[in-house]
Amino acid sequence: MTETRLRFPPSPTGYLHIGGARTALYNWLYARQTGGKLILRIEDTDTGRSSLESIQGIIEGLEWLGIDFDEGPYFQTDFEAEHIAAAQKLLNQGAAYKCFCTKEELDAKREAALAAKKPLGYDRTCRNLSADEVAEKEAAGLPSVIRFKVPERTGTLGYDDRILGRIDTNYSEIDDFVIVRSNGKPLYLLCNVVDDIRDRITHIIRGQDHMTNTLKQILLYEALRAPLPVFAHMPLTLDTKKAKISKRSHGEIVAVQFYRDCGFLPWAFNNFLALLGWSAGNDQEFYSKEELIREFSLERINKSSAIFNFQKNDPKFFTDPKAIFINEHYLRTMDIGELGKMVKKELESAGLWKDAYDTDQKEWYLSTLDLIRDRFHTLKDFTSLGRAYFADDFEIDPKPLAKNVLKYEELQQWLPQLADRYEKLAEFSLEETERVARELAEELAIKPGVIINAMRTVVTGQLAGPSMFDIIITIGREKIVRRLRDVGKLFGQE
Ligand code: GLU
């Protein structure tokens, strides 16, 4: 069996967006499943719109996702001579011809055809010019484009799309399309095929927005005498109103880097992307890398559009709730050592990392992460909601502050009293800290919840979290005593 060769050929005119990342992922999955190769090709021929920044962004996004390549990046502009040579070859073998029709002439013909309700395609005026006629026009300095000569055949041209099934079109509907502009620049349509032939691509998995090119490209393969690859056209990713997702209409939220910067786990995001348009036919929601590579199939890619159900108006769950749901699952269940490495980066960039977390405080560090991860949604939560575990300068959520602390003036005496008792405890253990807190509540004739809820707010800044006494032991006696004593500051006293 020949080796499968796939490619991801982004045009670097913007960031890597969700749709592009999903295409890259599906190509990667198929390449890995079949033991084939995946090639990264940067299609930068549109020099006006391509940018270095975008190339870097795309590569960074793919790296973050862990989508690795076996070859490339190749740059389409490096192969311009090959693209021109292919056009010349088509010209020489009579599969293409020079067309001297001016834009004005073409516009006029189009309008006339429109008025007469006739087909709008090129009327093939220059298709049968003799060599002498061509030479004459060139001698007169007339500019020309090169058009592909669609074979004169009746019937249909088609292919078996691995996702959509049989796609057929009548030859009469295919226009003699331009392959080289009058400035000598080959069109993208041709470059793409020449590169795929050179790179020996066997499977083209791409968005349905490229289907308008496919039949023309099949004719180019035939004329260039190259074997046809398998085509699989993926439905587009749309929003809930069925509009195409784009940065202009949806903002940063459609860029892969946005998710990295929001603290998503790369594999969780791949898992989300995989299910955005594909399913194994059951309701399995979580896939390990190995499972997904094994289970993925082109035939099970949905035929209808993928819906990116993002929640524009929800500041917390700004994105598709499914992306958050999958992320939470991995965050809460992944190997704690692996999570430790990821949170380390977050702590480092927040200036909260201590080298001891890698040595003598490693056990503390990992068990703390394990304790707090259950309510977290992204990696960012460890330095925001979880800041109190790693620093003293954490913010206090105004809601529990009002409800659990400021409502009871007496807490300014009660919590320092608790601090005194904690300081004197022979054994600062789960049982003892709980016993002492309940004892104090009883003496004061208040509900233990008043003390416990206030303590949670004062020592973690949060309304909810793990069991209070687990928190106390984790944060440690010294800090707990200090934070309880300082409760007065929250009432505006120094
Ligand atoms: N450069 C094209 C794009 O970014 C991809 C074309 C293809 O997959 O054939 O949409």
Side-chain angles (χ1 to χ4, degrees), residues 263 265 331 334-359 361-362 364-366 368-370 372 376 378-383 390:
L265 300 164
L331 198 71
M334 71 188 286
D335 174 77
I336 198 70
E338 285 304 308
L339 181 66
K341 286 182 210 152
M342 291 184 164
V343 176
K344 175 177 179 177
K345 287 190 197 140
E346 297 298 325
L347 291 174
E348 277 173 342
S349 50
L352 299 177
W353 174 253
K354 288 191 193 138
D355 286 339
Y357 296 161
D358 256 345
T359 55
Q361 285 181 38
K362 187 164 184 164
W364 176 85
Y365 171 63
L366 296 182
T368 300
L369 300 189
D370 202 21
I372 59 182
F376 287 177
T378 72
L379 289 170
K380 292 286 165 211
D381 291 342
F382 288 90
T383 51
F390 306 102

Side-chain angles (χ1 to χ4, degrees), residues 7 9-11 43 188 192 196 204-206 209-210:
R7 75 328 185 245
S11 304
E43 297 203 318
Y188 167 71
N192 187 247
D196 281 339
I204 293 184
I205 306 173
R206 63 183 175 192
D209 46 342
H210 292 287

